[in-house]
C-alpha cells in the first residue's frame, strides 16, 4: 500500500516526511498535479460495476486501489505545466485526478471537502465555541452601526481579514492590527470586517494536531512589546518556540474540533491570556510546521509520516456496498 | 422560519418556486450574493459561546438562526456588483456569507460541499455503479495505449468532456460525439479523455429528483436519426418530453445515489437502450428543470417549494453540542 503525496517539487517540509517514510520502508509516490500530461499520466476504467484506476509518475505505475493515504500538501494547479496549459485543460485534469482519487478508500490528510470548509473563519469560530474552546468576542459585519456598538461593548479591539491571505501573486499576509479607540467605522459598509476583542497575551501558542497527537509550542510575549504589536508573524522575536503542555480541557476541545471538522491535520493558533486561558484564534488546515519542529525539536514530520503509513479507517470514498450491474 | 434563495435577479425558474412559496404563505428572502455591500449586508456575532447572524436585503432584516432552508440556485460571485469589486472583496465576502450560512441549522438544496463533490464525473460513475445503476463501460485516460485497447474491446464509442461545459464566457456546452472506427488516439496524451460505450438508444430520459420525489420524463429517439447524433441537446427534436414511469430498480438505485451524494436535488440523464435498460449518463446537481415542467406539466417547481418549506432534519451545520465558555 502506497502513500501518495501531492505537492510541488520545491517543498522541503514534504522532504522531511518522505525521508521518514523511506526509513520506515513505506512506498511513497510524490506527484505534482501541475505535471499532468507532462510526466504524470492517469487512467480510470469503469466496466461491469468495477472501477480500476492508475497513476503514472516518471514511468512508475501505481494502482489507485493500492493507495493507503493521500497527503494534500502543496499541489500545483492540475496540468499547469503542460505543453499547452489552459483553464479548460486544468479543469478537465482536476476533475479527472481528484474525481478518481475521491473514489479510492485512501485516508486523506486532509480531504479536499474538509479542507475547503475548514477555511471559513465564521465556521471556525462557531465550531470552536461548540467544541468548548475559549473564543474571544468577535464580530464580522458590513453594518457600521453594529461595529460601533461592538466597539462600545468591547473597547479594546483588533481587526483582521475574514479570509486570510490577500490573493495577490505571491499571496500577501495581512497583519492583524489594533483598532484605535476613536476609529471611524463608516468604511465597514464596503467590505466584511472582522473585529475581535484583543487578548492581552503573555504568550503565543501554536498547537499542531496530527490525527490524535497534539504537539504544542509556546513563544513568550516580549514584556517590552508595544500593545499595538498584536501579530506574532510581524513582531520582532525575543524567544524561540518552546515545547508546551496542553491543558487537558483545551486538548479535549481541540480533538472535538478536529472530529467536527473531519480534519487529520490542523495548526491551531491560540493567544495565552494573562489569566492563563488559551484563547482560540484560528485553525489553519494547511499550516506550516517546519519552523516549530526546528525550534522545539518536536517530531512533527515523523508523526505525519506515521499517520500516513497507518492502515486506518477508510476515508470518504464513494458510498458503501457494491451492487454491480452489467455494463 | 424563512426560506433563503441565492440566485440572480433574472431567474425565471426561481420565480416559479417563489410563486409557490408565496401561495403557501412561506416567508422567502431572495438574495444575490453579487449584491453584497451594495443592497445586501451581513453581520455575525460570536460572544460568550453563542452565535447570532443577520442578513439584510433591501432594508429587510432576517435572522440566520431563523432560516428553514437555503436554495443555492444561480448565485452570482459575492460582491461582484459592489461599487469597487475586486478578487479580495469577493473572497472576503464569500468566506463571510457562506461561512455564516454553514453555521445555521438550515437544510440545503444543495449543500456547497455536496454540490462541489457531485460535479466530479469519475466519482459520479463510481457512485452510480455502487448504487446499482447500469453504467456504460467508460474509460477516462491520458494513456493513448489504454484508449486503443478500450476501443478494441468496445468498438462503438462516444467521447465527451470530463468536466462538463467549457469555461469560456458564457460557458459553452461541448457536444458528446461518436468516435470514428479508425480514430487515432495519440492526442489523448495531451488531456484526459472520456470514452464511453455508445448506447443505441430508443429514448432519452431526464429524471428529476427532489428529496425523495422522482419525476421522470422521456423523449423517444427519432427513428430516422443518424447514429452520429448522440447528444440530445444538439439533435433536432421530433417529440416533446413526456411523463414516464420509473422502473422500481432504477428508483432504488437513484435514491441510493442521492443519499450517497448527500444531494437534495439532482437531474439524472439516462439513455434508454433497445433492451429497455436505463443507462446512467450523469447526474447534474444544478440541472435545469423548466423545460421538463413545460413539456410534461409535472409539478417540479411545486415539489421544490414543498421541500424548501418543510421542517425537516437539520442540515450540515457545525458539530452538535453547545459547550460554551467565557469570551
Amino acid at each position: 500500500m502506497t502513500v501518495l503525496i501531492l505537492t510541488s517539487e520545491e517543498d522541503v517540509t514534504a522532504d522531511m516526511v518522505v525521508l521518514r517514510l523511506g526509513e520506515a520502508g513505506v512506498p511513497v509516490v510524490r506527484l505534482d498535479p501541475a505535471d499532468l500530461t507532462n510526466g504524470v499520466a492517469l487512467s480510470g476504467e469503469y466496466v461491469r460495476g468495477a472501477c480500476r484506476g492508475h497513476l503514472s509518475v516518471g514511468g512508475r505505475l501505481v494502482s489507485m486501489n493500492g493507495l493507503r493515504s493521500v497527503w494534500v500538501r502543496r499541489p500545483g494547479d492540475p496540468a499547469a505545466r503542460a505543453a499547452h496549459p489552459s483553464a479548460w485543460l486544468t479543469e478537465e485534469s482536476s476533475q479527472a485526478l481528484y474525481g478518481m482519487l475521491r473514489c479510492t478508500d485512501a485516508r486523506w490528510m486532509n480531504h479536499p471537502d474538509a479542507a475547503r470548509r475548514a477555511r471559513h473563519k465564521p465556521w471556525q469560530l462557531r465550531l470552536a465555541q461548540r467544541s468548548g474552546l475559549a473564543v474571544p468576542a468577535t464580530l464580522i459585519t458590513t453594518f457600521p452601526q453594529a461595529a460601533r456598538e461592538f466597539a462600545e461593548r468591547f473597547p479594546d479591539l483588533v481587526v483582521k481579514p475574514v479570509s486570510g491571505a490577500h490573493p495577490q501573486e505571491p499571496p500577501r499576509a495581512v497583519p492583524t492590527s489594533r483598532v484605535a479607540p476613536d476609529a471611524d467605522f463608516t468604511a465597514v459598509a464596503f467590505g466584511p470586517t472582522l473585529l475581535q476583542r484583543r487578548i492581552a497575551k503573555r504568550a503565543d501558542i501554536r498547537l499542531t494536531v496530527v490525527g490524535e497527537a497534539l504537539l504544542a509550542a509556546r513563544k513568550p510575549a516580549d514584556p517590552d512589546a508595544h500593545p499595538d504589536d498584536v501579530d506574532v508573524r510581524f513582531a520582532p522575536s525575543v524567544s524561540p518556540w518552546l515545547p508546551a503542555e496542553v491543558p487537558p480541557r483545551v486538548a479535549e476541545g481541540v480533538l472535538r474540533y478536529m472530529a467536527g471538522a473531519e480534519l487529520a491535520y490542523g495548526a491551531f493558533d491560540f493567544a495565552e491570556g494573562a489569566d492563563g486561558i488559551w484563547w482560540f484564534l484560528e485553525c489553519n488546515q494547511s499550516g506550516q510546521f517546519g519552523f516549530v519542529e526546528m525550534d522545539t525539536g518536536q517530531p512533527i514530520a515523523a508523526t505525519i509520516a506515521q499517520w500516513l503509513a497507518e492502515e486506518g479507517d477508510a476515508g470518504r470514498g464513494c458510498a458503501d456496498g457494491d451492487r454491480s450491474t452489467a455494463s
Side-chain angles (χ1 to χ4, degrees), chain A:
Chain A
M1 299 290 280
T2 304
V3 173
L4 174 64
I5 302 182
L6 302 178
T7 198
S8 61
E9 225 171 282
E10 312 77 18
D11 180 353
V12 292
T13 307
D15 294 345
M16 292 161 65
V17 173
V18 170
L19 192 71
R20 303 294 177 193
L21 288 166
E23 286 167 3
V26 177
V28 178
V29 166
R30 181 175 174 156
L31 174 165
D32 188 352
D35 291 325
L36 262 167
T37 73
N38 192 7
V40 171
L42 57 76
S43 203
E45 185 190 285
Y46 306 79
V47 175
R48 283 184 238 291
C51 162
R52 294 187 320 142
H54 289 91
L55 283 170
S56 151
V57 192
R60 183 171 160 206
L61 200 67
V62 191
S63 161
M64 294 213 200
N65 293 333
L67 292 180
R68 183 195 299 250
S69 55
V70 183
W71 187 26
V72 187
R73 235 314 272 182
R74 309 242 138 158
D77 286 337
R81 271 197 298 277
H84 302 286
S86 71
W88 171 244
L89 180 58
T90 290
E91 183 61 18
E92 289 276 294
S93 302
S94 173
Q95 297 272 339
L97 175 64
Y98 290 102
M100 286 181 199
L101 290 176
R102 281 165 177 268
C103 296
T104 68
D105 290 326
R107 316 166 77 200
W108 291 80
M109 179 181 275
N110 288 318
H111 192 281
D113 293 334
R116 190 179 167 78
R117 180 176 58 182
R119 286 187 205 107
H120 292 84
K121 189 68 69 70
W123 184 86
Q124 286 191 21
L125 293 168
R126 185 67 188 132
L127 181 58
Q129 284 184 331
R130 287 188 157 165
S131 301
L133 297 169
V135 177
T138 306
L139 179 75
I140 300 172
T141 197
T142 61
F143 289 96
Q145 188 53 30
R148 275 179 218 116
E149 287 170 17
F150 194 75
E152 277 166 27
R153 286 159 67 198
F154 304 97
D156 194 359
L157 291 176
V158 296
V159 58
K160 51 182 163 181
V162 180
S163 60
H166 192 287
Q168 64 183 23
E169 196 56 52
R172 182 164 57 90
V174 180
T176 300
S177 313
R178 204 168 178 196
V179 177
D182 55 348
D184 174 5
F185 290 108
T186 314
V188 161
F190 298 112
T193 301
L194 192 157
L195 300 168
Q196 191 166 63
R197 185 167 79 78
R198 185 179 75 91
I199 305 299
K201 68 186 173 194
R202 65 180 193 205
D204 287 289
I205 305 287
R206 165 55 75 96
L207 173 55
T208 308
V209 185
V210 180
E212 305 219 318
L214 308 184
L215 299 122
R218 183 177 185 274
K219 182 188 278 228
D222 176 0
D224 303 325
H226 192 276
D228 285 356
D229 291 339
V230 283
D231 195 322
V232 65
R233 296 169 301 172
F234 296 88
S237 185
V238 291
S239 161
W241 290 93
L242 302 164
E245 285 290 310
V246 185
R249 202 188 156 142
V250 174
E252 264 174 55
V254 160
L255 290 177
R256 220 177 277 135
Y257 184 104
M258 296 292 286
E262 298 176 89
L263 292 175
Y265 176 89
F268 287 77
D269 287 325
F270 293 92
E272 185 186 301
D275 45 12
I277 289 178
W278 286 19
W279 292 92
F280 172 88
L281 298 180
E282 66 172 336
C283 171
N284 185 345
Q285 67 82 29
S286 68
Q288 288 289 14
F289 62 86
F291 67 96
V292 180
E293 177 147 357
M294 287 234 275
D295 275 15
T296 62
Q298 289 169 322
I300 304 179
T303 309
I304 290 174
Q306 205 178 332
W307 189 92
L308 292 169
E310 267 167 34
E311 313 270 358
D313 287 344
R316 309 167 31 139
C318 290
D320 287 319
D322 236 297
R323 300 183 189 79
S324 312
T325 53
S327 75

